[in-house]
Amino acid sequence: MKKLPTSGRNIVDCDVTAHVNSTFSECRFRRPAEGKVRRIQTDGCQGRAAVSAPWPNGNNRAEKRAGMAASSNSSLSGSSVSSDPEDYQPPIWKSYLYQLQQEAPRPKRITCPQEMESRPKYYGREFHGMISREYADELLVGAEGPYLIRESQRQPGTHTLALRFGHQTLNYRLFYDGKHFVGEKRFESVHDLVTDALITLYIETKAAEYIAKMTTNPIYEHLGYTSLLKDKMVHRLSRGRTEPRRVTFQRDERISSPLVQRSALKDTPEKQCSYEKIHNFKVHTFRGPHWCEYCANFMWGLIAQGVRCSDCGLNVHKQCSKLVPSDCQPDLRRIKKVFSCDLTTLVKAHNTTRPMVVDMCIREIELRGMNSEGLYRVSGFSEHVEEVRLAFDREGDKADISASAYADINIIAGALKLYLRDLPIPVITFDLYSKFIQAAKIPNAESRLEAIHESLLQLPPAHYETLRYLMAHLKRVTQFEKDNLMSSENLGIVYGPTLMQPPEQNALITLNDMRQQKLLVQLMIEHEDVLF
């Protein structure tokens, strides 16, 4: 029994029974005020689009529609592109796959002339009971698109979808769990499932060769004003950030230090970092016709036609998403909260070098809490800490955390620790956790600091800058140790598990690494001026 082709792409939820008779007019990019690429609905797009097709494997021989496909490709290559947004000539959305979707066979239900007592309640008159493949083939012979459901003779109690396509009857095992499916995609009705399947099969047959090549000439990197926007954003983020410097620790016999003799520091040039962020793509069902913002081709199907970045809103085919650069610029309207939001996502959305939570809490603590005994060790009331969290989530940088709102500085300190602890990716990232732990285990003091420094340089820019700023603050906290009783060792005990967590949530591993976690934070505080 064949398995119905499925696709990971997002597909438009649409009524595919409508034909577009009018000439398909060209869709072009236009540049809205906010600089975000948007689509213009064309006069030819009257119906909602149909089902997504699986990514072709190249085995099927495509029927070439040379004229239409060639004009679709030439429409892009013929457009002039300039780095100056004033001279920008927008490329054209490609219509070939949209036209194919409109031409795909329409489903036709073959009803059973008699009522079947064994018919499940979730099937209609298309259910024919236990009939043979040969008889099903006789019922479906003729035009493309007719279908029926039968009970399997080989496996009673299971059901088969019989579908006519390509002058043959295709049989698929049919399932129901509240929705109908033969693969990954779930449908409200069998009719929608068949509609999606016919479009998938038709486009795979007619355009396999075209689809295999459609990512070779993407429009994404030709968008002059998009590149300009990205360059401005990188410049804005880089202005207020101290670039990490590579330091070589060298012994100088004239100066002694408890851990390392480091009077001679040799800086080597370090490549400039930008706050790169990968897109957070998720399968999406589009309402109405949509085109891929990477390859400019139509995203076909009824549901799950493609993927959308939940942070910036970029819409692309699932296959194209693997080729999109790591240049996501999050949209504040899509960021639903501050706490538990990815660190890089938050700083890019707010155009800052560090999360505003870190800046505001540290500013408030240094204003009125440096002498507070047990700072960061003493907990504030959990209810009040939760209030601060909600205030940041609701109001962002307008949240009031002043003394008039929260007189107890431990509440603000607790909110800062909660924010860092709840990050989905810790400040010291999961992939570098073992590297930092191994660095802390090095017995030689100079080599240990060198290894920690090398590990710090591998952190994502937003994580590095947040850690650098926090360590500088904690070092200032230790200067008030006589009053607050918080040494670098005590702060290491508090902040070790907050800043780094093992990738595997294993209590035994966490317990075994506590000593190294504490030592790492302690060393970063004491040698903050050299390590960062």
Side-chain angles (χ1 to χ4, degrees), residues 41-110:
Q41 184 108 355
T42 64
D43 296 337
C45 303
Q46 301 296 330
R48 289 181 294 169
V51 208
S52 91
W55 193 253
N57 54 24
N59 295 328
N60 294 333
R61 202 169 170 78
E63 268 183 41
K64 299 179 182 177
R65 294 174 164 265
M68 186 180 297
S71 64
S72 293
N73 282 325
S74 62
S75 66
L76 176 61
S77 57
S79 61
S80 60
V81 178
S82 170
S83 59
D84 185 352
E86 297 302 324
D87 300 331
Y88 177 69
Q89 297 296 322
I92 300 173
W93 295 113
K94 303 174 186 177
S95 63
Y96 178 49
L97 298 179
Y98 177 84
Q99 296 283 22
L100 286 183
Q101 175 168 293
Q102 298 302 318
E103 297 169 7
R106 268 45 181 178
K108 179 182 179 182
R109 185 175 68 157
I110 303 299

Side-chain angles (χ1 to χ4, degrees), residues 24 77 89 122 206 294 331 364 377 381 402 433-434 457 460 475 481 508 531:
F24 185 91
S77 57
Q89 297 296 322
Y122 40 83
K206 298 290 185 181
Y294 181 81
D331 186 342
E364 194 66 25
R377 181 176 54 81
F381 287 112
S402 63
Y433 177 86
S434 59
L457 292 176
K475 188 167 187 176
E481 182 182 350
L508 184 60
L531 289 173

